[in-house]
Amino acid sequence: MLRLNPTFDTRKDVVASILAKEERANIGVLEPRILSVEKDGGVVYSWRGATGTTRIGKYDPHSTENKLLYTFDKQVCVSSCSLNKEETLLAVSLSQSTQGDGRFKPVSKCLTLLIEIHPINNTKVLKAVDCKVKVQFLYPKTSRTTVLESHLLLAAEDGYVDQYHITLTRQEGYRVVMQNPERLSRERVAEDFSWVQWDSDTQRLFYLTAREKHTLKCVQFYPDRNFETVFELPLEMPSVSCVTSSVRFVNFGYDHYQDMKDEGLRLEVFTSPTGTMCVCYSPPVHWHKAATYTIAFVHRGCSKTFTVSLEKGSAPANLPTVHPIFIHLDYYIVVYLADHFLHLINCRQQDLLCYSLFLSGADGHIEALGREVVSVSGSRLLDVRAGKMYTIELNPDFLLELLSSARPEAQRLAALHCMLVYLQPNPVMELKIINWISENVMSFDAFDQIQEFILASLYRISNQQCVSLDKLLPYSCVFEKKELPVALTAIPGVKCTPELLCQPIIKGKPKSLQGYWEELQLVLDRMRYFEAVPSPRFRTSLIKEDWDRFQAAMNSEKKKSPHCHRQIEENTKKVLSMVDTWRLDKRVVPLFQEEDQQQRVLVGLMVDKLREHLNRHLSRLGKKKIDLLVVNYAAKLLELVWHVLELMWQKLKLGPWVLCIKQQGSSEEWAMFHVMFRILEATKGLCLPLPPGYSTLLSVLGVRCLPQHTFLQYVDHGLLQLTEPFVSRLMTDLDNSDANEQLKFSILKRLPEHMEQKVSQQWDHPINSACISREYVRTLLEKYSENRDSALLDYGKSCSFPDFLPLNYLTKILWNREEQAQNPFEEQENVDVRFVEEMALKQTQIKLGFEVK
């Protein structure tokens, strides 16, 4: 499920460098130990030197070089270590395990030192106390190339954090030393806490207090030496005795000498620049009992507590209790309990459990990962005992495997949603997803995979343009259902208990509410607004009522567009102008090449309804911005459908011969018809438009692939449309065999009257010609005034058949009328009195048996 990419390995990246500088015979077993990972990615580590010393070095991931920082003249136990940004100062905490005489003879349980290392010079004792002390240098962003000041955090197990301001000075041109080391400036940052976490990427300190009730607080550090408490959140935590037996330090390096027995609560906070914050905590898990963990989605104002029943198995003797590992992957929180399960929790869509992936057994196992693993900022994992560090990413190949029919539908939906929204599929993965859809084209019981593909893809594209659309645009087809399927509402073996969170407090000076805190405040404000208004998320079903009314109007006699429809047409023009048609000559699927009035109206109507919805809820963006977002949304929808058809067309190796309806369709054309028909069903269910020309192409494939009676049934049920381009092609391309005649007559009688009159004149057939003649005579005679004066007739006019007096007489009347009245068939150059005369004689000969039809 998760792919581990090694970025650091002490044996590969460090050992060789050490051996190049020291004699291996004098070292014994060389086991470098990772102490900390700084903001710049540098790894600080220690090892026992050849002469019984303890050395501290740094690995630079950018240059892949190792640097010796400091050497203790005896073996010491380093419990915490940090290097400043300029690599001039080293802060070290030594545990009570230090033995022997000398400068660092232990007089307390912990000795904290500040050492000048550029070059190695003075050493300042910061603390000598009987509790654990953690050290961490700040890494402020600054434009200055030379900084002669460092800031050090010192966090004590007694429940306080101090910040030391260390002024430096340069001597002899190269020596960097502390200025007045005996009087370092110090400020109290936090106190009375039971848990503390450092976030190196964002320079934030989170800590948990419990004076009256548990409150999570955050201190933000700024480049100008200032800091302030900007965030507070009351939390309903487990009992105090379960929270922690001693202060827990998170992301303050790793102490290889700490007691491995841990009965306290594991707690971690994750944030992302988009304004999300998740607080994850879990009590220790006892083997053969259920595992419980809670994710508090601060940006959504709710929390979810999961209880997972564990499979019985042999418990490791040295690990009576364990904790699940929390890993942040931006869009997801990963909860991993080795040998049991992996839970990929969606931290943006918590509406249903099915948008999260729960895997157990072999599916939930992460290879090559030990039990002592800590999560490091930047989606990294540190395997402390193995001395390895990894970056983590989701494995798209495994997600594709989860789409197989053997998997539960909830897993397939979560995997599909993850690939489309989170992974932002590349062309190769996108093709694999489309191939999967084509091979599993029938809708599943719980969800429609084509609808999910369309909505999730559009959601991702739109969110990249404006994150404010997160709560307004549909991201799944599931919510269009009247009742949610049971398969999507629960995970077997997992109990979920949702709760509302207390309102967080974001405080501080107005100027400080920038960046992340400003974004979080906007997210919280939007969350409160959307909770107060009904149905904030746009539903495509809102279009259906107006669309049905427009369809009824279009199926009636053809009329000019009324004034109220002009806005709809203007919307459509804007959308079609944004569709990527500049590579039209390279496209293989013939779309956007005709006027498709139905789809044009549906495109304009969707734009109108979506614009109205966004103007109601996001008016602060302005009408121009909203109009652009809406038009782009509709254009991307049409492009997406076109793109899917292009990939399918190329996969099936179809060509322009598909448009010829004289031949029966091949198996490849049948597969294309099936996919296109399912896309039609999916979009029709959501009342979404299709590219102009889609209906014509589908009907061409239908008449090639389906038996005639089946094709007509599809037409009668409204599944296939008899568009004017399709019927015209049918009338001209098919010959007049008995089967084709029957099909043409069946289609003509199903057309609206205005279309029938226009299209029928393209069919060269005696019966059709007779009908045209009769309609022509009827129209002329209805307008002919009742004047029986034979003098009006000009007997001098020529006639092709002077011996056939009845026809001669009728022809002269029509000719006379044609001169007095406008020809109702003037748009058809081949329809006139001479045409009627010829058709009348031809029909008479057929009736008398002198000519075969």
Side-chain angles (χ1 to χ4, degrees):
M1 178 62 187
L2 295 182
R3 179 184 291 166
L4 302 181
N5 302 312
T7 59
F8 175 76
D9 185 343
T10 53
R11 296 198 174 277
K12 293 180 180 179
D13 299 316
V14 174
V15 170
S17 175
I18 295 175
L19 293 178
K21 299 174 182 177
E22 299 192 42
E23 296 183 11
R24 183 164 187 168
N26 297 328
I27 297 178
V29 179
L30 182 58
E31 294 182 347
R33 293 180 173 181
I34 298 175
L35 299 177
S36 64
V37 181
E38 299 292 357
K39 182 182 178 180
D40 61 0
V43 181
V44 180
Y45 56 89
S46 67
W47 77 96
R48 294 185 177 182
T51 58
T53 59
T54 299
R55 302 193 175 189
I56 297 176
K58 178 193 176 183
Y59 172 78
D60 186 341
H62 307 291
S63 63
T64 66
E65 294 181 353
N66 289 276
K67 179 180 180 181
L68 177 64
L69 300 177
Y70 189 75
T71 301
F72 290 96
D73 56 8
K74 60 178 65 179
Q75 292 185 4
V76 296
C77 298
V78 182
S79 60
S80 181
C81 182
S82 184
L83 177 69
N84 72 341
K85 186 177 181 179
E86 295 73 31
E87 299 187 2
T88 56
L89 293 175
L90 186 69
V92 182
S93 281
L94 305 179
S95 72
Q96 63 176 350
S97 299
T98 306
Q99 300 294 329
D101 298 328
R103 191 163 49 139
F104 301 125
K105 182 177 180 180
V107 293
S108 58
K109 291 183 178 181
C110 181
L111 185 67
T112 304
L113 307 173
L114 186 60
I115 307 171
E116 298 171 350
I117 60 172
H118 190 75
I120 295 173
N121 194 32
N122 296 324
T123 298
K124 162 74 174 176
V125 177
L126 294 179
K127 286 283 182 181
V129 292
D130 290 334
C131 67
K132 293 180 182 178
V133 175
K134 299 291 184 178
V135 290
Q136 177 62 57
F137 276 104
L138 300 183
Y139 275 60
K141 290 182 180 180
T142 177
S143 58
R144 291 181 292 172
T145 56
T146 303
V147 179
L148 292 178
E149 186 177 38
S150 287
H151 310 282
L152 175 69
L153 294 182
L154 190 148
E157 194 177 23
D158 285 346
Y160 64 87
V161 175
D162 288 339
Q163 178 179 200
Y164 286 82
H165 301 288
I166 306 157
T167 303
L168 303 172
T169 184
R170 192 177 298 275
Q171 296 179 353
E172 301 174 10
Y174 72 99
R175 298 168 59 89
V176 178
V177 299
M178 290 180 280
Q179 185 178 2
N180 197 6
E182 302 303 321
R183 300 183 62 181
L184 296 179
S185 173
R186 182 178 63 179
E187 293 180 89
R188 180 60 50 94
V189 176
E191 58 188 357
D192 296 333
F193 56 79
S194 58
W195 168 94
V196 62
Q197 171 183 315
W198 173 247
D199 189 335
S200 62
D201 284 349
T202 60
Q203 301 290 285
R204 297 184 193 126
L205 184 78
F206 293 93
Y207 63 97
L208 187 69
T209 63
R211 292 176 179 174
E212 297 180 357
K213 62 182 304 184
H214 291 101
T215 302
L216 178 69
K217 297 184 179 183
C218 179
V219 177
Q220 177 72 64
F221 292 88
Y222 302 105
D224 58 359
R225 296 184 48 163
N226 291 324
F227 64 89
E228 61 179 336
T229 302
V230 294
F231 177 84
E232 292 186 5
L233 174 68
L235 287 173
E236 295 294 333
M237 304 288 289
S239 60
V240 176
S241 61
C242 184
V243 171
T244 182
S245 55
S246 61
V247 170
R248 179 184 290 276
F249 300 95
V250 179
N251 293 340
F252 276 92
Y254 193 80
D255 185 357
H256 293 262
Y257 304 98
Q258 66 182 356
D259 185 5
M260 293 304 300
K261 185 179 180 181
D262 186 3
E263 299 292 337
L265 188 81
R266 170 165 289 184
L267 173 67
E268 289 189 59
V269 180
F270 300 108
T271 62
S272 73
T274 56
T276 63
M277 177 185 288
C278 296
V279 182
C280 312
Y281 52 92
S282 169
V285 178
H286 297 270
W287 292 98
H288 308 323
K289 293 185 179 181
T292 301
Y293 48 94
T294 299
I295 313 295
F297 306 101
V298 179
H299 55 286
R300 293 294 192 228
C302 66
S303 69
K304 288 188 176 182
T305 300
F306 299 91
T307 304
V308 181
S309 301
L310 301 181
E311 297 179 1
K312 293 185 178 181
S314 57
N318 60 336
L319 288 174
T321 62
V322 292
H323 280 95
I325 302 170
F326 299 112
I327 307 168
H328 187 218
L329 291 180
D330 187 33
Y331 211 91
Y332 293 92
I333 296 293
V334 179
V335 184
Y336 176 64
L337 185 60
D339 301 326
H340 286 280
F341 66 83
L342 185 150
H343 196 176
L344 190 69
I345 301 174
N346 194 319
C347 59
R348 299 195 189 181
Q349 274 89 42
Q350 304 89 37
D351 308 85
L352 292 175
L353 293 179
C354 59
Y355 293 106
S356 300
L357 263 173
F358 183 85
L359 302 170
S360 59
D363 290 338
H365 181 65
I366 303 178
E367 292 288 343
L369 202 60
R371 294 183 181 276
E372 291 184 46
V373 178
V374 294
S375 180
V376 185
S377 59
S379 298
R380 291 176 293 175
L381 278 183
L382 178 62
D383 191 331
V384 179
R385 293 299 176 189
K388 297 179 180 180
M389 190 160 61
Y390 310 88
T391 58
I392 317 159
E393 61 181 5
L394 292 175
N395 186 347
D397 294 329
F398 183 81
L399 290 173
L400 285 167
E401 292 178 12
L402 293 180
L403 298 178
S404 69
S405 57
R407 296 286 182 169
E409 291 199 3
Q411 280 191 6
R412 283 190 277 181
L413 176 60
L416 181 62
H417 187 82
C418 177
M419 286 187 288
L420 293 174
V421 178
Y422 172 73
L423 291 184
Q424 301 183 12
N426 55 48
V428 175
M429 187 170 71
E430 185 180 54
L431 181 59
K432 290 180 179 179
I433 295 173
I434 293 173
N435 286 339
W436 170 75
I437 291 176
S438 67
E439 293 166 2
N440 301 269
V441 72
M442 297 307 295
S443 176
F444 301 144
D445 293 334
F447 71 99
D448 187 311
Q449 64 272 33
I450 296 178
Q451 291 181 345
E452 193 70 19
F453 175 82
I454 292 173
L455 291 181
S457 300
L458 289 175
Y459 178 80
R460 181 194 73 244
I461 294 170
S462 300
N463 256 15
Q464 291 171 347
Q465 297 173 340
C466 180
V467 294
S468 299
L469 299 175
D470 177 59
K471 292 286 286 183
L472 292 172
L473 290 181
Y475 62 87
S476 175
C477 64
V478 172
F479 298 101
E480 294 290 339
K481 295 180 178 290
K482 294 181 180 179
E483 293 184 5
L484 291 176
V486 177
L488 303 182
T489 57
I491 301 174
V494 179
K495 178 185 176 183
C496 177
T497 306
E499 291 183 0
L500 293 177
L501 288 177
C502 297
Q503 289 290 336
I505 301 171
I506 298 180
K507 55 185 182 179
K509 301 174 183 177
K511 67 174 183 178
S512 65
L513 281 184
Q514 299 174 1
Y516 171 78
W517 298 111
E518 181 183 23
E519 192 63 34
L520 178 61
Q521 184 67 67
L522 289 174
V523 169
L524 292 172
D525 291 342
R526 287 200 301 268
M527 181 262 297
R528 297 185 191 105
Y529 169 77
F530 290 133
E531 284 181 348
V533 298
S535 303
R537 199 174 297 279
F538 180 73
R539 294 203 172 192
T540 56
S541 55
L542 297 173
I543 309 171
K544 186 169 179 16
E545 184 178 343
D546 287 347
W547 171 233
D548 290 341
R549 187 171 64 253
F550 273 99
Q551 274 188 308
M554 286 187 290
N555 290 333
S556 62
E557 292 189 4
K558 189 175 181 182
K559 299 178 182 179
K560 293 183 178 180
S561 298
H563 180 73
C564 61
H565 294 177
R566 288 180 183 172
Q567 181 62 40
I568 301 296
E569 182 61 25
E570 287 299 318
N571 293 340
T572 305
K573 289 180 181 178
K574 290 180 182 179
V575 171
L576 296 181
S577 69
M578 290 190 67
V579 173
D580 179 16
T581 56
W582 65 276
R583 292 180 298 152
L584 193 60
D585 57 326
K586 297 183 180 181
R587 301 278 193 175
V588 294
V589 182
L591 298 178
F592 295 96
Q593 297 178 15
E594 67 178 71
E595 289 284 336
D596 190 335
Q597 192 58 30
Q598 281 204 346
Q599 294 305 323
R600 290 179 71 90
V601 170
L602 187 52
V603 168
L605 191 59
M606 188 188 80
V607 169
D608 209 43
K609 289 293 182 182
L610 184 55
R611 181 197 293 121
E612 178 185 332
H613 186 80
L614 296 187
N615 277 325
R616 186 184 307 121
H617 297 296
L618 276 181
S619 56
R620 63 181 179 82
L621 292 181
K623 291 185 177 181
K624 287 186 177 180
K625 174 70 171 177
I626 288 177
D627 192 64
L628 181 62
L629 290 172
V630 170
V631 170
N632 189 67
Y633 185 86
K636 291 301 180 184
L637 166 62
L638 301 182
E639 285 182 6
L640 182 64
V641 174
W642 198 4
H643 181 58
V644 172
L645 296 186
E646 289 278 320
L647 293 178
M648 283 300 302
W649 199 276
Q650 294 170 3
K651 174 189 175 183
L652 297 172
K653 299 179 180 179
L654 300 179
W657 62 83
V658 171
L659 299 178
C660 177
I661 60 180
K662 294 180 180 180
Q663 301 173 354
Q664 188 175 1
S666 62
S667 58
E668 290 80 10
E669 290 165 31
W670 165 253
M672 189 70 194
F673 170 76
H674 200 190
V675 171
M676 288 188 66
F677 184 75
R678 277 289 298 117
I679 293 175
L680 174 67
E681 277 189 325
T683 53
K684 193 173 182 179
L686 294 173
C687 210
L688 294 176
L690 289 166
Y694 190 98
S695 299
T696 297
L697 180 58
L698 182 60
S699 295
V700 169
L701 287 169
V703 81
R704 284 174 60 94
C705 299
L706 298 174
Q708 285 190 9
H709 67 280
T710 306
F711 174 80
L712 294 173
Q713 284 181 343
Y714 274 52
V715 172
D716 292 338
H717 286 84
L719 303 177
L720 293 177
Q721 288 185 28
L722 299 176
T723 64
E724 186 175 321
F726 164 71
V727 178
S728 298
R729 182 181 293 272
L730 189 81
M731 293 299 167
T732 56
D733 288 4
L734 290 183
D735 59 24
N736 289 334
S737 65
D738 291 342
N740 288 343
E741 275 190 9
Q742 184 179 0
L743 176 62
K744 290 180 180 181
F745 282 124
S746 299
I747 287 177
L748 285 174
K749 72 179 184 181
R750 286 170 166 82
L751 296 178
E753 185 177 352
H754 65 271
M755 188 189 295
E756 180 192 5
Q757 291 178 357
K758 185 176 181 180
V759 171
S760 62
Q761 299 177 42
Q762 302 177 30
W763 182 20
D764 183 15
H765 187 274
I767 296 179
N768 188 48
S769 299
C771 293
I772 295 173
S773 299
R774 282 194 292 269
E775 180 63 24
Y776 181 80
V777 172
R778 184 188 65 81
T779 306
L780 275 181
L781 292 180
E782 280 181 353
K783 298 181 179 180
Y784 181 64
S785 59
E786 297 181 2
N787 189 346
R788 300 178 183 274
D789 190 352
S790 59
L792 294 175
L793 300 180
D794 182 3
Y795 288 98
K797 284 187 179 289
S798 62
C799 182
S800 301
F801 308 95
D803 296 333
F804 194 6
L805 298 180
L807 178 58
N808 192 10
Y809 183 81
L810 176 61
T811 303
K812 290 181 181 294
I813 293 176
L814 295 178
W815 233 320
N816 190 316
R817 183 55 189 153
E818 220 175 37
E819 293 179 349
Q820 300 177 25
Q822 184 179 4
N823 182 358
F825 286 71
E826 62 183 355
E827 69 274 10
Q828 296 294 332
E829 296 180 357
N830 61 331
V831 180
D832 56 12
V833 174
R834 180 59 56 84
F835 175 81
V836 174
E837 186 178 20
E838 292 175 356
M839 289 302 105
L841 284 174
K842 191 175 185 68
Q843 290 298 313
T844 301
Q845 289 175 329
I846 291 173
K847 291 289 185 181
L848 294 175
F850 298 133
E851 186 173 323
V852 180
K853 181 179 69 171

